[in-house]
Amino acid sequence: MIPLRRPSPIPPGQGRRRAAIGMIAAGLALPLMAAMGGCQGRRLQPMLRPLEGTLYIAVGVSQEALDTELQKEIRMRTTLLQTTFRTLQPRVRLQVEVFPEENLRNELLVRNRTGLSPDLLLVNESTAQELARERLINTVPFPNTVLDQLDVGSVVRVRRSDGTLTGLPMELQPQVACFDRRHVQRSPDSLDELLAFSAKGMEVGLSLDAINLAWTLGPLGAIDAVSDLLAGKPATPVTRQGLQGWLEWLRMADQQQHVTVYPTETELLKGLMAGVLDWIPCRSINITRLRSRLGRNLGVAPLPSGPFGEASPITRERVIAFGVNSSPGQRQLALALARFAISPLHQRDMIQRNQYVLPVNREVAPPVRSSSVVAAMVEGRQQSLHRATIRLIEASTRNQREGWQALLTRYLFDDLSQPAALEGLVQLLSGGRAR
């Protein structure tokens, strides 16, 4: 028997990747047809033709975090997605613009009127919900064969009463503790240890931003109080007691010599990279940036617990949303890319290359045994699944979150007494209903 001649050597691991891409290429047409509302045999043949065109994608990023370094990182990630997708669809290009997420509403109001809205948006789940309520994006149906692969909780939070989705879940960004190993041998396991380590010289940074500070509510017994108020329940003595204990801890921490409170997470990141801070809570998406500056000195661990239980961080869920002005051809491209982005192939590649996000595809197991960083992210994700924690992001409005930060700033600067801050929080979280 004459041995077959191999055309060219394949780098290690590429053979399996190409085989997987081939399987996705063979199976993509049918799910995509179903997502577009039909899968009749007479329509199947055109779907097998190679896709061609340019997709316009808007990436929303928190305004306070948006800088040149982050924009560069976002474009690099998009290039990775485009490169992998073009192995399957070589005639498709991606054109990406980065926007402050807070400005997307106004941006879309203008672009939608002129027919220039993006085909796809990559945004936080809460932003997609807000944009969908104002009909600034299109909600899209996806078949159960697609959704059954994804994290159940993520799908529930984006599914509307009519069965459509405000966006297709793509990745999870848990909150963890990040620290400088040159000054911190291990991350504190509890809030008592956090303050004890600080008393010995560990420089701690905290952020007053509502999303970034919510992790302290659970350990200090205030998570149910905040959740109940947001759910419209009346304030009770137990509610006030929980909030009062939390406010007392914040004041005590702020009075520590080596604890510094900042308005935003971006300032925490800069402080850790500059060596001004030794320990901060951080979103996993920022691990890459921190590692580029700190290298092996960067430590990552779960956030500390407290007398009332585990930390209560909020996991950011990033979703792919769909614009309102796409032509049928552009919508076909958008659906194909979205379907590919949640495929096991891309989800596995995403976490193996980056290790700063978690997959939403349940068929992809995070490599917790080989990476302490991924293990910390998985634990942070589990901490965020507490029902009351989920309600914080689902029920709170942007105005409430901004009001939270303004109120706490006044409180820590002694512009508000503790009783006044307590009543202000109750009024804010209950939408002005409390008395």
Side-chain angles (χ1 to χ4, degrees):
M1 179 181 294
I2 301 176
L4 294 176
R5 183 177 181 183
R6 184 174 297 174
S8 60
I10 300 177
Q14 292 298 313
R16 282 180 296 177
R17 182 173 284 108
R18 290 181 184 177
I21 289 175
M23 292 175 66
I24 291 177
L28 181 61
L30 189 57
L32 184 55
M33 286 291 292
M36 296 182 70
C39 54
Q40 299 175 7
R42 55 184 161 76
R43 298 184 184 177
L44 183 59
Q45 189 60 35
M47 294 298 299
L48 296 177
R49 296 172 184 169
L51 301 176
E52 184 173 358
T54 300
L55 272 177
Y56 297 89
I57 303 176
V59 179
V61 180
S62 175
Q63 186 164 18
E64 49 93 3
L66 189 55
D67 57 19
T68 303
E69 191 172 353
L70 182 57
Q71 289 197 47
K72 181 180 178 181
E73 183 177 315
I74 290 171
R75 295 186 187 282
M76 180 180 67
R77 293 176 62 203
T78 307
T79 299
L80 172 64
L81 175 60
Q82 176 173 260
T83 301
T84 312
F85 184 61
R86 289 186 71 177
T87 308
L88 176 64
Q89 298 290 352
R91 299 180 183 177
V92 176
R93 287 195 321 112
L94 308 183
Q95 185 167 317
V96 179
E97 286 189 81
V98 182
F99 297 94
E101 195 143 331
E102 297 83 352
N103 297 347
L104 268 178
R105 176 188 177 275
N106 293 334
E107 189 72 32
L108 290 178
L109 282 171
V110 174
R111 290 181 177 237
N112 289 359
R113 292 195 201 102
T114 57
L116 297 175
S117 67
D119 300 301
L120 287 175
L121 299 91
L122 181 58
V123 293
N124 291 324
E125 179 267 334
S126 56
T127 299
Q129 297 279 13
E130 293 172 0
L131 295 177
R133 279 196 292 268
E134 298 193 44
R135 298 183 180 180
L136 294 174
I137 58 175
N138 269 343
T139 59
V140 178
F142 275 88
N144 289 334
T145 52
V146 173
L147 301 182
D148 288 347
Q149 301 177 43
L150 306 183
D151 177 79
V152 176
S154 297
V155 172
V156 168
R157 282 186 283 282
V158 298
R159 195 194 297 270
R160 292 159 55 94
S161 58
D162 61 1
T164 62
L165 308 183
T166 55
L168 189 66
M170 180 180 174
E171 64 186 33
L172 304 172
Q173 300 174 4
Q175 190 181 23
V176 291
C178 295
F179 57 97
D180 189 335
R181 293 184 184 276
R182 290 171 297 186
H183 307 128
V184 181
Q185 291 185 349
R186 66 173 179 87
S187 183
D189 294 326
S190 68
L191 291 179
D192 285 344
E193 277 197 341
L194 179 69
L195 295 186
F197 287 8
S198 171
K200 294 179 180 179
M202 182 178 78
E203 297 292 342
V204 175
L206 299 175
S207 168
L208 287 182
D209 173 77
I211 299 299
N212 292 318
L213 191 59
W215 70 271
T216 60
L217 292 169
L220 295 167
I223 184 73
D224 289 326
V226 174
S227 177
D228 288 347
L229 289 173
L230 288 172
K233 296 181 181 180
T236 66
V238 174
T239 300
R240 287 184 164 85
Q241 183 179 358
L243 289 175
Q244 180 176 326
W246 179 68
L247 287 170
E248 288 174 353
W249 185 89
L250 283 182
R251 173 63 59 83
M252 179 175 63
D254 184 52
Q255 290 175 346
Q256 293 275 331
Q257 181 179 355
H258 298 289
V259 175
T260 307
V261 179
Y262 295 84
T264 67
E265 184 185 20
T266 297
E267 290 166 289
L268 297 183
L269 299 173
K270 291 178 180 177
L272 186 61
M273 289 188 291
V276 175
L277 296 174
D278 302 325
W279 186 99
I280 64 170
C282 71
R283 189 73 46 194
S284 67
I285 193 69
N286 293 308
I287 290 175
T288 298
R289 178 189 299 196
L290 293 173
R291 185 175 285 156
S292 68
R293 191 70 59 90
L294 297 176
R296 294 183 179 180
N297 294 318
L298 175 65
V300 179
L303 288 161
S305 61
F308 291 89
E310 292 187 332
S312 51
I314 291 174
T315 293
R316 279 293 195 189
E317 300 181 353
R318 299 286 281 179
V319 304
I320 302 172
F322 296 81
V324 300
N325 297 139
S326 299
S327 66
Q330 293 298 104
R331 176 54 51 85
Q332 179 182 343
L333 290 178
L335 287 166
L337 180 64
R339 178 69 182 87
F340 180 79
I342 63 168
S343 68
L345 171 72
H346 179 69
Q347 293 270 301
R348 189 174 293 109
D349 203 37
M350 177 179 69
I351 192 169
Q352 288 178 345
R353 287 175 181 263
N354 302 308
Q355 295 193 356
Y356 54 72
V357 296
L358 293 180
V360 295
N361 193 307
R362 293 187 292 165
E363 297 178 14
V364 179
V368 293
R369 292 185 178 180
S370 60
S371 171
S372 60
V373 172
V374 175
M377 289 163 52
V378 169
E379 185 166 342
R381 168 61 174 164
Q382 289 302 314
Q383 291 172 338
S384 71
L385 293 178
H386 190 286
R387 186 173 180 179
T389 304
I390 292 172
R391 190 178 292 155
L392 297 185
I393 189 63
E394 289 182 342
S396 63
T397 65
R398 183 176 299 170
N399 287 339
Q400 282 175 317
R401 295 191 289 269
E402 291 175 351
W404 160 299
Q405 184 165 339
L407 190 148
L408 291 182
T409 300
R410 292 182 60 194
Y411 168 62
L412 293 182
F413 275 89
D414 291 322
D415 189 41
L416 277 181
S417 66
Q418 184 174 300
L422 173 59
E423 291 308 313
L425 271 180
V426 171
Q427 291 280 342
L428 177 70
L429 297 172
S430 59
R433 294 183 297 273
R435 293 289 182 270

